[in-house]
Structure formats: structure tokens, C-alpha cells
Amino acid sequence: KERNLSMLNILNQHELQEAEERLGIVSHYPVDKRNPTGYWKGRLAKMSERAMILHLVELVIGEFAIVSKVFFQYASRHRGGEKEEISLSWRNARLDGRVSQYKRNWKVPLKGVLELDLVDIRKPDPVSSVIMNATVFSEALKRLRESEIGPRAKIKEIQEMSLSNFFSCLQVRALIDLFEGYPPYQEEVAVLMFARIIDWRGYRFILQGMQVNVREAVVTRVGKINVFWDSVATAIGFWKLDLSDMEDRFLMQELVHFANVEPGSNVIDCEFRGSVFEIPSSWLLQVPNEGWISFFYNRERTVIEKYTEAGSWDGKSLGGVPPHPTTFPPFFYLPALPENFEESKDSKNDTWMYLEKIRLVKETLQKYVDDPDEVFARLDVDFGGELSREEISTGFVKAGIWLTPKEMSLLLDILDNDKSGDVDLNEFQQFWHHSPPLRQGDQEQVKYWARRGVRGKRYDDMIPFYDIRSQYEKEEVALYGLWKAHENLTDHQNIKRLFS
């Protein structure tokens, strides 16, 4: 093989490309098509590494292209304007450090260093594919936990496991937890396992429980559209989109379409270019190609149930992959708006959006400083040990932490729960620790929010949105060692088993 590769070095560009087309590809670098998702890097002047890149191109223009074509044909039937076809598999490519876009009939250059994230967009067959046996998985998990090998070697073992097994979202969460305190390796597991999950509609809930910087890194590598996919499990939530970005604009076009065809209030708290905004009907014809827009997307309970059962609220096929029961975690659940909710009349603080806004405020702070003591110290400029509302408001600006007026008002109401007018370090630390994401079984967090009026069903309904563990049987969660010492293994409340 080495001799054959060396012979190719004497060919010129046109001869080499013709030889590659006629002879196929030979490579020392394994590209296992069972799970090629991940980061790849190749020196194109080195024949074996060039051949590796050509293997990846074959997948993109072959099996992956078929899935991509079906997906975009489905999306093209939706309103919102003409949609650009975006590469779903070939992502973040750079040639010698410069952005390199993949386009049809693209030829692999003869030299340079090419780096990219390849994403397998094929979904496991919902009928024939089987999740790795729980007992076998727990034994493999135990070996990895007890092993003295380094994190890189553990990633390698997980990759080997992924070639011959499919997994549940809960199992992927357990693998991610192996690398607690090592964000880059948590990111790597989340990316590596993207296409090997049977109940893949729960993938976004794995991401919900991750640190904000890790989650954003995973989404950048995997792709916003790939995470969103057909919206069945992903539309509900907060969106902040840059319409000049092709992926963001595609998502906006999809959400405009769904907001038009689905009943009830959908787009809440919408702001466009910094001003309160109501999406006009003209956006059904063409979504703008510039400007930032943010909003909460909502669905009523009946709409959510129709999606999980029939594929869409009116029973029409979504195309691509239908909502087969195995594509959902067993206790799949999404928060919903009350029927007949009207934004102008009804309080949003009584909905799921209240806790989600608080999570977003904390994430904004974390992007600047991920330490409550340091944030408090930056604000406490007179070293008095307490912060007034005015100190917090002005201190955030001076510290370079920018919150919108709505975010600031919400934060101050939570911090100063007793209305004393001051916030001490302990209160600030409590807010930091107990802010969403909510954690299944964390009784101290339950008490914290009960004192602030978020309790009972209103609280319980949000746990599956934040904690993937609550979407599985408690026995399986315990088998994988995913309960912390201070958490109680309580039965699931207010949630029925999906497709029971």
C-alpha cells in the first residue's frame, strides 16, 4: 500500500484526480463509516492523509447527501422565503487556517492542511437499532470510571464502543459525566455520540445540562440545524438569531412557518434590532437577511402531543424521520403554554418562561465570570459586604456585564426576595447555585424556588426540560451512578410514560 501511495506522488493535479476517481481511495487512516462524526485534520500533500479526506468527501456526497436532500426537500415546502441549501455534514472547515466552504463539485486541493468537523446526519433505524444493554453499559462505565488511563485514552475507548453500539441519551449523559471538570472532553463525547443515539430527540436535553461554553462549542461543531432538525423536540425555548447567518436565518424561516400553521400563541417577548417587535405576515414570504431577533417559542399541550404522536399538530407527515416511539426518551416531556394564552393579558411569570429567563440571566453572567464570589467582589466596590439594587445595576455596567432592563429587573427581584433593599454574598451565592437548570431530586433547590412562588406542578413540569435524568426510570439512572449524594430518588410526578 505504501508503494502504491508513493507512486501517486509523481502525478500532476489532473492525473492525480483522475487516478483517484478510477482507482478509488487507499489510506492508512481509518474512516469507519459506522461513526465518522468528529474532528478531522489532514495534510493534503501527504497521500495517506489526503486519501483520508477523500473518504470523508465520499461520505458527504454519497450517503449523507441523500439524507440532506430529503431534509431540504421537506423544508422547502415551508414558508418563510427561499431557503439556502447548507452543508449539514461538512462543518467548520479551514484550509491553512482560512475558512473553506464546501460546495458541489469541490475538488480536494493538492496541498495545505485541511481541518473540519464531520457530522453524520443519518439517524439510526428506529425499528432495527437497539440501545446498548443497560447492564453491559453499566459494567463498561464502571471500568472506565475505575481505569487509571488518561482522558484521551478513555475517549478512544468510547469511540470504539460507538462503532458497534447505539446508546440512549441517558447513557451519553453518563459518559459525559466521566469527564466532570474537563470541559473539552465533555464536548468531545457530546459530538462523538451525536449520530449514535436511538432516542435522539432528547439530545437537546443533554446539552441543556452542560456548561454554557461547552454547550455552545458542541452546537457550533454539530450545527444548529442538525440539533434543531424537524422541530418536534427543539422548537420550544428561547431563540436569539442573527439573520445574516445562514443557519440562523434558516431556523428563523422554519419557526416563522411553524408559528403560522400552529394554533395558539407561539412567539412571545419578541425583540428585533433592539426593539419590541411583532413578526409581520410579510416574513412568510421572505425573512430578512440581516438583524438580530430574540423571542421565546411556545406550543400548547395539545399541539405538543400531536407532534409526538402524528408528526405535526394537524397529523401531516413531517418528512425525513417520523416520530417513532424509540426516537424519544421514555418520559419525554416539554413545557407548554396554557390554552388561550394571550401575551397582552396573561402573566408570563406564571409560565415556564419565568425560570428560563432566570437561566438566561445567569448564563449572561457566566460568560463574563463563572464565579459568584468574583462577580460579587466586582460589584461591591465599597467593600461593605452588601449590595443595594442601585449598586448592582450600576456595578454590572462598570464590570462590563450587560443585561437588558428586563433581565436586570428580573434578577433584582430574585436576589432581593425579602425586599430588604440589600443583597449579601450568601444570597448571591444561593442564587448562583439554585438558578436553573433545575436538577431532579435537589431538595434545596426545590425549597429555594418554593419560597419564590415556583412550586408543585409548575416546578415539576420544568425538570425534564433541564435534567435528562428525569426522562428515564429511576432504577436505570441509579444503575449508571447518576444520582448525587444529596439528591432524592423520588418518583416522576405529573409526567406519564410516552407511548405506554
Side-chain angles (χ1 to χ4, degrees), residues 229-255:
W229 203 245
D230 59 14
S231 93
V232 170
T234 53
I236 294 174
F238 177 75
W239 295 91
K240 187 174 183 179
L241 301 170
D242 176 7
L243 300 184
S244 66
D245 178 86
M246 287 195 300
E247 283 196 89
D248 280 13
R249 186 168 181 273
F250 178 94
L251 294 176
M252 189 67 226
Q253 289 172 307
E254 288 291 276
L255 290 167

Side-chain angles (χ1 to χ4, degrees), residues 377-400:
R378 289 191 184 191
L379 301 176
D380 189 18
V381 292
D382 63 358
F383 305 104
E386 289 186 333
L387 303 173
S388 67
R389 284 181 167 236
E390 184 178 352
E391 280 182 303
I392 295 172
S393 298
T394 58
F396 273 17
V397 175
K398 290 180 180 179

Side-chain angles (χ1 to χ4, degrees), residues 158 223 229 232 262 288 319 325 332 337 391 399 410 414 438 457 477:
I158 292 171
W229 203 245
V232 170
E262 294 168 5
F332 176 79
L337 275 186
E391 280 182 303
L410 184 65
I414 296 298
L438 303 184
K457 188 176 187 300
V477 177

Side-chain angles (χ1 to χ4, degrees), residues 90-246:
W90 191 273
R91 297 194 47 77
N92 309 312
R94 289 185 172 273
L95 181 63
D96 291 335
R98 296 187 297 273
V99 174
S100 177
Q101 296 288 347
Y102 178 85
K103 298 180 180 179
R104 291 181 182 178
N105 302 318
W106 179 75
K107 297 292 185 182
V108 178
L110 288 176
K111 59 182 180 179
V113 177
L114 183 67
E115 303 173 77
L116 72 140
D117 290 303
L118 190 81
V119 182
D120 187 348
I121 58 175
R122 299 169 299 181
K123 303 297 184 186
D125 185 275
V127 178
S128 62
S129 303
V130 179
I131 293 172
M132 187 175 183
N133 177 270
T135 302
V136 175
F137 176 80
S138 66
E139 291 171 352
L141 191 64
K142 182 180 179 182
R143 286 195 300 273
L144 286 167
R145 283 190 180 124
E146 296 175 352
S147 174
E148 295 182 358
I149 62 175
R152 286 179 179 272
K154 288 183 179 180
I155 290 288
K156 182 65 176 175
E157 288 199 18
I158 292 171
Q159 185 177 32
E160 289 295 324
M161 286 172 56
S162 75
L163 297 178
S164 54
N165 295 283
F166 289 103
F167 303 85
S168 69
C169 287
L170 184 66
Q171 291 173 339
V172 173
R173 160 68 189 271
L175 292 171
I176 290 172
D177 279 13
L178 284 173
F179 302 96
E180 188 171 357
Y182 297 91
Y185 296 105
Q186 292 183 319
E187 172 192 329
E188 202 59 41
V189 174
V191 172
L192 174 66
M193 289 297 188
F194 177 74
R196 303 300 291 178
I197 301 173
I198 299 291
D199 53 357
W200 53 269
R201 294 187 192 276
Y203 185 78
R204 65 89 55 95
F205 303 109
I206 299 175
L207 303 183
Q208 287 277 66
M210 302 179 80
Q211 294 178 15
V212 57
N213 60 322
V214 181
R215 181 175 70 248
E216 290 179 351
V218 172
V219 173
T220 296
R221 292 181 62 186
V222 170
K224 293 179 182 179
I225 295 176
N226 288 330
V227 174
F228 180 78
W229 203 245
D230 59 14
S231 93
V232 170
T234 53
I236 294 174
F238 177 75
W239 295 91
K240 187 174 183 179
L241 301 170
D242 176 7
L243 300 184
S244 66
D245 178 86
M246 287 195 300

Side-chain angles (χ1 to χ4, degrees), residues 280-293:
S281 58
S282 61
W283 283 32
L284 289 169
L285 300 176
Q286 190 69 44
V287 169
N289 57 10
E290 62 177 353
W292 282 89
I293 187 168

Side-chain angles (χ1 to χ4, degrees), residues 414-449:
I414 296 298
L415 289 171
D416 189 21
N417 187 53
D418 60 2
K419 309 303 178 187
S420 66
D422 295 312
V423 176
D424 61 28
L425 177 59
N426 180 62
E427 288 176 314
F428 198 83
Q429 291 171 331
Q430 289 292 309
F431 160 78
W432 199 272
H433 180 68
H434 295 306
S435 292
L438 303 184
R439 298 174 290 274
Q440 173 81 359
D442 189 331
Q443 295 306 305
E444 291 302 314
Q445 192 177 41
V446 171
K447 293 175 185 176
Y448 182 86
W449 288 108

